[in-house]
Each structure stands twice: as C-alpha cells, then as structure tokens.
Amino acid sequence: MAAEPVKRITDIGPPHYEKFLHPMVKKNYGMWKYHESLAPGVLCHVAESGDKLFTVRAGSPRLLSTATIRMFADLAEKYCGGYLRFTSRNNVEFLLDNQANIEPLKKDLQAAGFPVGGTNNAISNIVHTQGWVHCHSSATDASGIVKCVMDALYDRFTHENLPAKLRIALACCLNMCGAVHCSDISILGVHRRPPQINKDLLPKVCEIPTLISSCPTGAIRSATYEGKPSVEVVEEQCMYCANCYTVCPAMPLNDPENDGISIWVGGKVSNARSAPKFSKLAIPFIPNEPPRWPGVVDAVVNIVEVYAKHAHKYERMGDWIERIGWPRFFELTGIPFTRYHIDDFRFAGTTFARSTHIRF
Amino acid sequence: MADETKKTPKLDELEKGPWPSFVKEIKQARKVNTMCDDLLGQLETSYEEKKGHWKHGGIVGVMGYGGGVIGRYSDMPEKFPKVAHFHTMRVNQPAGWFYTSKALRTLCDIWDRHGSGLTNMHGSTGDIVFLGTKTDELEPCFAELTKEGFDLGGSGSVMRTPSACVGQARCEWACYDTMKLCYDLTQTYQDELHRPAFPYKFKFKCAGCPNDCVASIARSDMSIIGTWKDSIQQDDAAVAEYAKKGMDIQKDVCDNCPTKCMSWDGKKLTIENHECVRCMHCINVMPKALRPGKERGATILIGAKAPIIQGAMLSSVLIPFVPAAELLDTIKELTSRIWDFWSEYGKNRERIGELIQRVGMANFLDAIGLDPVPEMVSAPRDNPYIYFKKEE
C-alpha cells in the first residue's frame, strides 16, 4: 500500500443545513404564514411572500437499503429539484413547488410500496429501536413488530380519521433508545428473570464495585466463587432493569421463554391542551411471538379502536383516559387490571388514588 | 456453502402485508454486500429461538474519537462469519434532516464501498445510522465521509448529537431558529461530542414551539422549547372564515383551552392573553387565523431521560423565557456551569436529571447561580422538612 500521508480531517461537524434547503425554503426561511392540509400526507405551507411549498410525506421502515434511498433521490429529482427531508418519526418528505407534481409523486411512491400519510389525526410512523437486527440487550425484536403493527394499522396511517393524533413508539428493552415513555401507545420489551451470572467470565471482564453500584435496588452483593471475587443477586430485589448487564457483559438477562412485551398508554410530549405526560402500564406481559406477533398486534389494534370509538374530538389517548378514568379504560378495553399495574418504585405514591372521586 | 442464500421462512412472513418491509430492504442490500446474507441468517435464528444473537459491545472506533462507532459482534461467528463484525457508524445528520438527492447519493456511495448498504434514516437520537461494517473499514469510511463534509455523531458518555425540528425552514410556529441553534451547539461542542469526558450522556433537543415535534421534553437533558411572551397574533376575518366553513369555535377552540382564556360571541373571538399558557391548541386548529406572538424566544428545561437508572423523567423549567437573539449565548453560559457541576458531583452513569433529584433542585440552582422562580414548580413543597441554611 502506497503510504501517502493524508491530512486527517476531524471535528468538522455536520454539513451546514443551508446547502440542502430548497430555494423556496431558503427564500422564505422564518417567514412562513400558515399551512393547510390538502389530503392525508400532503401539506401546503404558505409564506408571507405568497409562495406555496407542498410537502408529500411517506412512511418508511426506517431500516433502509442504499437502493431505496437512491430511489427516494430519483423521485426527488423527478418531482422536486432533488430536495427532500426526513421527519423525527422516520417518514420521508418530498418538498415541491409545483402542485401538479403531487399526484404523480404519490402514484410513484405508492407503486414503490411506500404509503403516503401520517399527518394530523392519522397514526404516524412508529419510532423504534434496533431489536434483534442489531442490539445485544433487546428483550424482543423491533422492526418485525413495527412491520406487523403498521400492516394492521395501515388505513389509520393513510386516513386522518382519529379523534386526535396518535403516536406509537417501540423500545426493545428498558434502556429505551426509542424513549417510548411519553407516547400514546408504547410497546416495550421486558425481561422477567434476574441475570444469569457467568461466573467464569465475570472476574475477567467486569469491575465488581462498579457492577454492585450499578444496581438501583441494591440487589447485587459481593461474593466469592472458587476463591475469586464475584457477585450474587438477591433475586426478589431484582426488577430486571438490566443496568448490570450494561456495565458487565457477564450478567445477561436474555431468556426466550420469559422475555416479552409490555404495552403502555396515554403519554404525550406536546403541550397542546394538557401538559406532557408519561405513558402508563396497560398490559404487563405478552410473550414474544415471531414472526407475526399476533398478541401485540391485537392488543394495540384493540386499544386504538376503543379509543377511536370513545374519545372526543381533539382528545389524545391520555386526555381521554383521564376524562373517563382508568377503571373505565380497563373495562372498555377488556384488559385485566393486576397487581403489576400498581407502582412500587421511587415515585410510587404519586400514582395512588388519593381522593374519593370514584365512578360507579 | 458460504455463499448459498440461506432459507428464511420466518422472515419471509415479514415481506407480506402493505407496510414497507425491512426484510425486503435487507434482501435488497445483499446485492451490495453479502454481509446481509448472514445478517438474514442470524436474524432468522433469532426468530426461531426468540433471542438476540449479538455480543455485548466492544471498543472500536476511529482514531482520536471515543464515540460515534458502536462495536457489534455476532455470538455465532462460525455460523455467520460475514457478520462476525457488524459495527454501526453514527453519522451526524444535517439539522432538520434536510438533504439534496446529491448528498444522499454521496452517502450511499460511501456506505456501499465500506459497509453493508443498510442504514437507518434515522437513529433515535437523530444520526444517520450506517448499519454494519468491519473494523478495518471504519477509518477509510470516516476519511471519505469527512472529505465530503460529514462527521460522526456521538455515543457513550458524551454530548450526544443534538437534533432539531424543521423550525423556521418550513413551520410558521417556530419561535426561534431551531436548525441554526442545533448547528451552532453541535459545532461549539465538537470536542464534547467526540471525546467522552462526562459521567454519562447529555442530549440537547431544539423544538420550535410547545408542540415539541422532537420530543425534547421527554428525551433531552436540556430541552429548548420555543414560546412567545406577548399576545397571540389574531386575524379576525380569518377566524370568521373558519366559523363560516363550519368550525364550532366555542366547542372546538374555546372549550379546549386549558385556562379558559378565550371567549366567542358568535362574531368575535376574545383572548385574555395574560391567562394564556401557550399550549398551542387554538393555533393548531386555526393556523390561518391565529399565530404565536411576535416577542419570541424559548423556555429552557432540564433533566429528561428514559428509565435507566432511577426512573423516567420529564424535563422541568429552568428559565421560563430567553429571547431568541440571546439563546445561544445563554445556553452556552448555562451549559458550562451545568457541566462543571455534573462533572464534579455526578456519579458514573448518572444523568443530570438524576443528579438534581439526588442533591435537590435548590442546591443545583445555587451551584449554577440561578435564582428560584415560581415557574420552576407545579406547586411549592408540601413537606415541612426544610433544610434551612445556617446563615439565614
């Protein structure tokens, strides 16, 4: 190899966004006046100048091959001068200055298998994590469940017919790379058994004091194994958070029969009407059922349909549940309420009912 | 045989149905790199055994950086040798996720030469995720990326890649220039982004208005959420137009106002702006008639995080209002004090929100030199165990 010294470039940061902006965006930057929805997945932003920018939004599986990204690039060149963007929920958005290009672009996207929608009171794309495709700590898969849930909710993506927007997120373990804790519906991978300590490996790969202090409930204690420093787990104190596994590879929690999925509802991040709030537990455990995940799909579809039927206009999932009360939520959805629904960690008391406001 | 296409009956089930299929994407990427054969094979095994098959971490990276690459190794390297190494590279996205087709093609060409041809557009924090390559491809891939003006994002105990909503590029509600702030913060803190020096991760997210399309209040240690101080801009003719077209202004708008600061007499909408909490509902439903005020800026909040370790948290108010023009300087000044305190007192893997919980918000405010204001709490304390200071 000819070793020609090349100046190494580092710490340049991302390219400046201005290089990638549609000329109409550049011209009207900070001077947009209002927007309207023309159809599901199609927005029109009107500037003070009178310019109109059209956006066509399509869903994607997030996991994209370079071939598909090039196909998006082809469509952007064909219809919008090569300008496009992605959204915070993994949708792709084409930015057009010519309204006449909307329908042909929609046709091409649909022909390529990418649905147009996800705006306003539709279900937008599911934010999710890597799952079995690329993660070492996942308690379940991510992309496969998202695919099956979105197959079932496809018409809710392409139509804006819910009472309000509905945001679904999936994280394949409690680390929550997908930060699902404030979504209308969260699908969360959970473990149900303590770590299986690999005692031979442990002293070679883990720093024991760090491991012990990593446990939020103090369930890990020092011990000796064959004369060497090791640890033991007080199993009844373990809440399967897997923080120990993150700091020590010799503490895996993966367990095919006991790992699975929990469902949480009623969170939001928007400040509109009510304050942002956490998602709350609806279903503590559904087993992993690859490849089509029927238990999760049915559970999510049931919650969506009950919400769609009962919520008032503009009511997010959490607002609806707060109005009708949790007992009625469990009654309407047919989901059993169990001991697992009552919190027992740090801020537990704040979720106990501390009034006699009870509906009978 | 090594190159024989493996059968994947379980994954094939995920090619069915109307939603775009990630399995099709992986099969597509086989044409770029045969790594994807073994990725499919291993994933099929996971689908059979209901268990992931990736090993725990591994420290790999590019020279001089402590983050941006996630080491990933198969735990079945004999069976799936092509994904024995399958590392992720996080590439810092342009603010607002805007691209030209040319820039996307450049990224695709680089990744086809050096990796699996699989990506995430985008990862949870906001980066472009290049999914799957070998250790010896990292440095050449990085060289090509930087030559084209791209750089790596963050991983580990660093400032993670900041992200921003579409902001003023395409949204009339953006109360400050989110993309510029995101870009400026990213450039200011390149060292903190690439070289781990913190107790744990630190995230910034820039949202242009209280609708918070980047979930900053749930997902960032410092949430910068646009807001305004003066009155909602109101176009009475446009309000009347909405009413004429069938909107029930009383029911759809006024009755949904959280502070009931609006009234409608059938002709005129009156807003008691003094009572408005800037929730965005009325503006969201009547974008032609109502707009945020003209005195714009942002609320700065602190401490959101996912559950690990001490439980999930939402950010809480630190500074109720910073004028748009002063945002960057204020955040830089504030951040330097916060990072000093966190670096000194934070425990390993303790996020700033957890540190505040542990030492108390009032002590944190003392440490960073901020005066307490009532906007910081939903209510004053209801417990009488007060740590009075000796000097008072």
Side-chain angles (χ1 to χ4, degrees):
Chain A
M1 198 169 100
E4 196 175 309
V6 182
K7 191 179 175 296
R8 216 164 159 273
I9 308 168
T10 70
D11 298 277
I12 56 170
H16 198 284
Y17 51 88
E18 250 178 41
K19 293 206 277 195
F20 305 137
L21 299 182
H22 190 292
M24 191 184 278
V25 167
K26 234 187 245 181
K27 181 185 161 198
N28 298 292
Y29 198 97
M31 291 180 291
W32 296 99
K33 197 172 174 193
Y34 67 88
H35 74 274
E36 10 181 32
S37 300
L38 303 186
V42 184
L43 303 171
C44 169
H45 285 82
V46 181
E48 303 277 7
S49 66
D51 284 352
K52 285 186 174 179
L53 183 75
F54 302 95
T55 299
V56 174
R57 179 182 293 178
S60 94
R62 185 178 89 132
L63 201 166
L64 295 174
S65 65
T66 48
T68 295
I69 297 173
R70 287 193 185 93
M71 185 273 289
F72 290 156
D74 291 342
L75 290 177
E77 281 161 13
K78 189 170 167 192
Y79 294 113
C80 40
Y83 295 98
L84 70 169
R85 69 178 291 266
F86 292 83
T87 73
S88 55
R89 304 193 77 85
N90 314 313
N91 300 302
V92 57
E93 287 186 341
F94 296 86
L95 307 168
L96 303 87
D97 52 23
N98 182 357
Q99 189 164 5
N101 281 337
I102 294 174
E103 286 309 314
L105 170 59
K106 278 171 75 172
K107 276 206 185 94
D108 281 3
L109 280 165
Q110 272 145 5
F114 292 86
V116 173
T119 45
N120 298 312
N121 294 352
I123 291 181
S124 189
N125 207 343
I126 299 181
V127 175
H128 66 277
T129 57
Q130 300 290 14
W132 292 336
V133 171
H134 208 247
C135 186
H136 66 290
S137 68
S138 52
T140 188
D141 188 32
S143 302
I145 301 166
V146 168
K147 161 74 176 145
C148 297
V149 171
M150 286 311 287
D151 277 343
L153 294 172
Y154 187 86
D155 290 343
R156 296 284 188 191
F157 181 87
T158 56
H159 295 75
E160 298 176 343
N161 54 10
L162 285 165
K165 60 168 88 165
L166 198 151
R167 299 289 175 257
I168 307 178
L170 181 148
C172 49
C173 81
L174 269 57
N175 282 327
M176 284 196 194
C177 306
V180 301
H181 56 290
C182 296
S183 302
D184 294 287
I185 300 178
S186 326
I187 305 167
L188 175 65
V190 288
H191 301 292
R192 292 191 304 166
R193 292 293 181 270
Q196 306 119 42
I197 308 171
N198 184 334
K199 290 185 172 167
D200 297 313
L201 180 68
L202 193 136
K204 291 179 217 154
V205 294
C206 305
E207 199 187 315
I208 287 171
T210 308
L211 171 57
I212 290 172
S213 67
S214 74
C215 179
T217 65
I220 302 175
R221 294 198 300 219
S222 66
T224 49
Y225 173 68
E226 292 180 347
K228 286 185 197 141
S230 188
V231 297
E232 61 184 13
V233 175
V234 184
E235 299 203 344
E236 51 277 21
Q237 253 170 267
C238 176
M239 54 185 187
Y240 328 115
C241 74
N243 196 43
C244 57
Y245 180 55
T246 300
V247 304
C248 173
M251 306 284 285
L253 285 90
N254 290 351
D255 177 340
E257 293 318 310
N258 286 298
D259 289 349
I261 289 155
S262 56
I263 306 283
W264 306 69
V265 297
K268 72 198 270 275
V269 295
S270 159
N271 284 270
R273 296 166 305 281
S274 60
K277 48 191 154 223
F278 290 124
S279 312
K280 317 283 195 299
L281 182 64
I283 304 175
F285 185 77
I286 301 171
N288 282 331
E289 299 167 308
R292 291 295 309 192
W293 310 92
V296 183
V297 173
D298 291 351
V300 172
V301 169
N302 174 43
I303 293 167
V304 169
E305 294 310 324
V306 172
Y307 160 76
K309 191 172 161 202
H310 291 91
H312 292 169
K313 195 175 172 187
Y314 302 118
E315 253 177 357
R316 293 282 294 263
M317 179 79 69
D319 300 331
W320 164 62
I321 298 171
E322 278 171 16
R323 177 171 59 79
I324 65 167
W326 285 96
R328 194 146 295 156
F329 167 81
F330 285 102
E331 185 191 314
L332 288 171
T333 54
I335 297 169
F337 185 83
T338 69
R339 67 190 305 282
Y340 298 123
H341 290 86
I342 304 174
D343 193 5
D344 46 20
F345 193 49
R346 292 271 185 282
F347 312 117
T350 60
T351 57
F352 299 164
R354 295 179 290 189
S355 82
T356 57
H357 294 189
I358 300 172
R359 291 170 174 83
F360 294 105
Chain B
M1 294 304 293
D3 288 316
E4 188 183 298
T5 301
K6 294 184 173 67
K7 292 226 178 330
T8 55
K10 288 213 174 347
L11 294 181
D12 295 350
E13 289 297 310
L14 294 169
E15 291 188 74
K16 299 172 184 169
W19 190 254
S21 165
F22 72 102
V23 173
K24 280 187 188 156
E25 296 295 321
I26 302 175
K27 289 191 175 174
Q28 184 79 255
R30 277 170 158 172
K31 295 169 198 157
V32 173
N33 193 317
T34 56
M35 280 176 130
C36 297
D37 291 332
D38 279 2
L39 177 65
L40 280 169
Q42 182 175 309
L43 190 57
E44 180 73 13
T45 307
S46 286
Y47 262 64
E48 282 160 7
E49 298 175 1
K50 300 195 252 184
K51 184 171 184 267
H53 277 289
W54 298 103
K55 272 204 268 194
H56 192 290
I59 297 169
V60 285
V62 299
M63 219 195 320
Y65 281 16
V69 180
I70 318 298
R72 193 60 77 223
Y73 301 89
S74 170
D75 73 0
M76 310 173 79
E78 297 81 19
K79 199 166 177 204
F80 303 110
K82 291 179 222 161
V83 290
H85 302 199
F86 201 66
H87 311 317
T88 294
M89 297 181 84
R90 291 184 181 162
V91 180
N92 199 150
Q93 82 285 4
W97 301 286
F98 280 89
Y99 297 91
T100 54
S101 52
K102 185 168 170 282
L104 284 181
R105 289 186 202 284
T106 302
L107 289 167
C108 290
D109 292 347
I110 293 173
W111 190 230
D112 281 358
R113 280 195 287 277
H114 296 290
S116 67
L118 282 176
T119 72
N120 291 149
M121 299 298 276
H122 293 77
S124 291
T125 302
D127 298 283
I128 303 156
V129 174
F130 280 181
L131 205 61
T133 193
K134 293 180 168 32
T135 307
D136 52 11
E137 293 289 351
L138 296 172
E139 199 60 42
C141 186
F142 178 64
E144 285 208 47
L145 283 167
T146 50
K147 192 165 156 265
E148 293 295 341
F150 284 89
D151 198 348
L152 296 187
S155 66
S157 296
V158 299
M159 176 194 78
R160 296 294 182 86
T161 311
S163 75
C165 71
V166 70
Q168 296 183 343
R170 199 202 51 196
C171 184
E172 67 272 23
W173 298 330
C175 293
Y176 71 96
D177 191 343
T178 56
M179 283 165 43
K180 181 172 191 314
L181 182 68
C182 178
Y183 179 79
D184 289 344
L185 289 173
T186 310
Q187 292 296 350
T188 303
Y189 298 122
Q190 281 294 295
D191 194 33
E192 288 82 355
L193 175 62
H194 296 308
R195 292 166 197 91
F198 292 149
Y200 200 16
K201 61 183 103 169
F202 193 96
K203 298 185 180 186
F204 288 102
K205 289 193 189 292
C206 309
C209 83
N211 284 326
D212 199 356
C213 290
V214 283
S216 69
I217 203 163
R219 307 185 58 171
S220 53
D221 298 272
M222 190 181 282
S223 322
I224 303 133
I225 303 180
T227 188
W228 65 96
K229 250 189 154 170
D230 55 347
S231 298
I232 291 174
Q233 300 184 64
Q234 190 174 335
D235 178 340
D236 287 329
V239 175
E241 189 65 27
Y242 275 108
K244 207 174 120 192
K245 283 190 177 156
M247 184 178 285
D248 185 337
I249 307 284
Q250 183 62 44
K251 205 167 164 229
D252 290 344
V253 184
C254 302
D255 291 353
N256 279 299
C257 172
T259 62
K260 302 285 176 277
C261 73
M262 323 185 86
S263 57
W264 168 248
D265 64 4
K267 283 178 194 155
K268 168 124 179 87
L269 181 72
T270 308
I271 306 174
E272 293 296 333
N273 275 279
H274 189 64
E275 297 299 319
C276 168
V277 289
R278 282 106 186 124
C279 88
M280 292 297 291
H281 173 76
C282 60
I283 298 176
N284 288 345
V285 299
M286 294 197 293
K288 279 183 176 174
L290 302 176
R291 306 165 72 186
K294 289 179 177 169
E295 191 186 347
R296 296 181 178 193
T299 304
I300 298 178
L301 304 93
I302 188 92
K305 57 180 286 294
I308 302 296
I309 306 169
Q310 298 293 347
M313 293 178 190
L314 286 159
S315 282
S316 69
V317 173
L318 202 54
I319 307 184
F321 186 80
V322 180
E326 296 167 24
L327 266 174
L328 180 63
D329 287 343
T330 305
I331 290 169
K332 276 158 73 173
E333 171 66 29
L334 192 62
T335 299
S336 103
R337 294 189 222 164
I338 291 171
W339 284 353
D340 278 353
F341 180 72
W342 185 41
S343 297
E344 181 148 17
Y345 294 100
K347 295 195 288 192
N348 183 35
R349 288 172 58 73
E350 187 174 48
R351 296 279 286 268
I352 189 70
E354 289 165 325
L355 173 60
I356 294 170
Q357 196 74 44
R358 180 162 63 84
V359 303
M361 177 61 90
N363 288 329
F364 173 71
L365 293 176
D366 285 348
I368 63 166
L370 269 190
D371 289 331
V373 292
E375 286 83 357
M376 290 174 178
V377 295
S378 59
R381 69 163 71 223
D382 50 21
N383 101 70
Y385 303 136
I386 305 174
Y387 293 100
F388 284 108
K389 287 190 165 182
K390 284 203 178 72
E391 61 269 27
E392 280 171 6

